[in-house]
Amino acid sequence: MTRLVIVGGGHAAAQLAAALAEKQFSGKIVIVSDEPVVPYHRPPLSKTLIKDPDAPLPELRGAAFYEEAGIELRLGTRVQRIDRARKLLRLSSAAGEGELGYDHLVLATGAKARELPQAPPGTPGVHYLRTYVQAQALRDALPAARRVLVLGGGFIGLELAATARQLGKDVTVFEAMPRLLARAVSPQISDFLLETHRKAGIDIRLGTQVDGLHRVDARVEGVVVAGEPVSADLVIAGIGATPDVDLACDAGLRCENGIVVDATLATEDPAISAIGDCTSFPHPAWPQPLRLESVQNANDQAKTLAARLCGNPQPYAAVPWFWSDQGEARLQITGLWRAGYEAVVRPATRGSGFSVLHFEGTHLRVIESLNSPVDQMAARRLMQAGQSPDKATAADPSIPLKA
Ligand SMILES: Cc1cc2nc3c(=O)[nH]c(=O)nc-3n(C[C@H](O)[C@H](O)[C@H](O)COP(=O)(O)OP(=O)(O)OC[C@H]3O[C@@H](n4cnc5c(N)ncnc54)[C@H](O)[C@@H]3O)c2cc1C
């Protein structure tokens, strides 16, 4: 029987195993994850989980699902090395070391929180957020903290800032760029979020470089900005993530801002594929290889790969979409924003939300919506069907986009 081994216990791994089970994949599926718990939803970690001391693990599927589907879950087990010539993995866990052979290997190793050079994970007073265990540590530390500093005005930094503020904390965000989310969203969205967060009482300092950490003994008790200490009870570093490519690189696979795969998510080794946050992949709508960090991308790549492994190869071409909940603001984006598109603003039919539709000529390339889910979904469906509304319709909320 063919043995398919999936390295990683995140969205991509769990979705691939589920999609294969659904397609009645004839081989044996093994998931090897270095996390101690079953695969879970990561988005709630920064939004809801840290607010609620009783919130359970937001598992994607219960342990019974894997058992019933005949999927072997090896939790708390790290793949240390891939021996490509022998199709063998070197494993380590609390129980010791071991080996596991594969016929096909899927790397779904995700991404890691970028670390501050002076503060490796575990540094007292500093928190990172990528895993459930890190979320639990932050949830435990928050009640005793009054003053919270967030380094980075990206998605996770802003979500955490909004959540901490909802808990009544005194929150300051330091962002080095002159606007929030500068690489990911249009200036209209950055401005709106800035205003929303400031109105909620978050002190956001744009264009502000943090020079270093302010330590008292071994504990970090703030940061240093323009030579002056800014003290805090807790520092959260939300300074981005890097693809987890160590295993692939050590095995000699090509890695350039991610594990390089082709349109069918195959690496240069025909026995190894890669999916999710860890991949750098070609996309028909984008000139350069893409690497995305989103649940949609992890899930859709998993489905594309499942189809190939069951004998139905297709190129991966899903339209990217993403969401981020930041306090009262629900941001949803379909497509990938870049400077130079023509922006058309569309107020929501109800409430104070709006969308910004970005056109290249007559083609709708991106829609960003703030508290305007109906227009977001209508435009997403149009984009998935390769259609565009005209600009007059886009600007007029009295005409439904789907019309
Ligand atoms: C706090 C937070 C909030 C987020 N919010 C959103 C959101 O609102 N919307 C959205 O679209 N996306 C969001 N994301 C991003 C989304 O969660 C990721 O894009 C998604 O988890 C990617 O799935 P993945 O399976 O590729 O990687 P991951 O979920 O990172 O999983 C990778 C897994 O591989 C394991 N692993 C790595 N190396 C090894 C090894 N050698 N051996 C064994 N196991 C290994 C890791 O421990 C991990 O379990 C958020 C992410 C975080 C952290």
Side-chain angles (χ1 to χ4, degrees), residues 93-141:
S93 70
E97 307 224 321
E99 286 183 342
L100 179 67
Y102 63 86
D103 296 296
H104 195 86
L105 179 68
V106 179
L107 299 174
T109 48
K112 300 185 272 198
R114 186 172 283 131
E115 293 167 18
L116 296 164
Q118 324 88 319
T123 304
V126 177
H127 287 261
Y128 297 95
L129 184 57
R130 180 79 200 174
T131 65
Y132 180 62
V133 169
Q134 289 171 329
Q136 283 176 311
L138 183 55
R139 176 167 70 180
D140 291 347

